[in-house]
Amino acid sequence: MKRYWGTQRVARVCQVSPATVANWIDQGLLKGHKTPTGRRRVQMGDLVAFLRAHSMVVPPDLEEGNGTPTVVVVEDDPGYLRVLVRTIEKSDLGVEVVEATNGVDGLLEIGRVQPALIVLDYGLPDLNAAQVIQRLLEPGRRLDTEVVVITGGMPDQAAQQLREVGVRVIVNKADGMAAVVEAIRQALGRRKAA
């Protein structure tokens, strides 16, 4: 499974600023790509090749291929998305965050990175959370990752529909970022225990 790192983690490994890493990617010095939300990502194998080509130390977790769990966050409110991603990245969860701003982009990112966890806003502009999950469960595919749905409110019928497709956790945005981070922590813990 391919794992991707963001510019902040790459910058820590290379002991440079995230802006330097972004410039390396933009100039083609370091192989990477931009997500639909404009963040740059580097596949772990490409980072290892870059480090070796430039006589830099390859950290043991990269050498052994043990990647950091990836969390895909799908949220259409840019302000909430920015705060949520920063909160997750600054927490002690030790995850890499990939973001998307609508259901279709979310599905693309989920397919690309095969995340350990999906944090999914219920009310997206194109697809709601249940529709995203149904597309993940289409014939020949199975949902092998936990999903945490965040919402500003939804009908009881929608919550029941989500539970029927395998969602264990629904967090109300009014409960705050700490509640979302705790839901992520518990979901990752269940995944490790499985």
Side-chain angles (χ1 to χ4, degrees):
M1 178 186 311
K2 290 185 178 180
R3 292 290 188 183
Y4 294 84
W5 280 21
T7 55
Q8 290 187 350
R9 288 198 71 203
V10 174
R12 281 195 296 270
V13 169
C14 296
Q15 298 181 354
V16 296
S17 73
T20 299
V21 174
N23 285 335
W24 288 345
I25 294 169
D26 293 346
Q27 294 171 14
L29 302 172
L30 173 60
K31 188 175 176 184
H33 71 277
K34 273 190 182 180
T35 67
T37 57
R39 290 189 172 230
R40 291 164 185 85
R41 296 286 181 240
V42 177
Q43 198 268 326
M44 286 177 46
D46 295 330
L47 177 56
V48 169
F50 176 84
L51 292 171
R52 288 188 177 131
H54 293 87
S55 302
M56 299 169 103
V57 175
V58 178
D61 60 336
L62 275 176
E63 197 73 72
E64 297 163 10
N66 294 332
T68 302
T70 303
V71 174
V72 173
V73 177
V74 187
E75 167 63 57
D76 65 319
D77 179 330
Y80 188 86
L81 176 63
R82 189 169 40 254
V83 172
L84 179 57
V85 169
R86 283 189 188 143
T87 303
I88 293 169
E89 288 177 343
K90 289 182 179 181
S91 73
D92 62 351
L93 293 171
V95 297
E96 181 67 33
V97 180
V98 174
E99 42 188 275
T101 57
N102 62 57
V104 172
D105 287 345
L107 287 166
L108 291 171
E109 291 297 331
I110 292 163
R112 185 178 63 79
V113 302
Q114 301 294 305
L117 177 71
I118 302 165
V119 178
L120 187 58
D121 182 20
Y122 176 74
L124 296 166
D126 54 351
L127 304 168
N128 67 33
Q131 292 168 322
V132 170
I133 294 167
Q134 286 166 348
R135 280 165 177 75
L136 290 172
L137 294 172
E138 285 177 353
R141 299 179 74 183
R142 64 187 183 96
L143 188 61
D144 60 352
T145 186
E146 289 238 13
V147 179
V148 172
V149 173
I150 53 176
T151 179
M154 72 174 78
D156 290 341
Q157 178 184 350
Q160 180 60 32
Q161 183 184 18
L162 287 169
R163 295 198 192 294
E164 287 171 3
V165 294
V167 174
R168 291 181 172 183
V169 182
I170 300 171
V171 180
N172 195 307
K173 291 180 182 179
D175 293 337
M177 292 291 167
V180 177
V181 170
E182 185 55 32
I184 293 169
R185 183 184 322 282
Q186 291 178 12
L188 290 170
R190 284 191 297 272
R191 184 175 172 88
K192 283 182 184 174

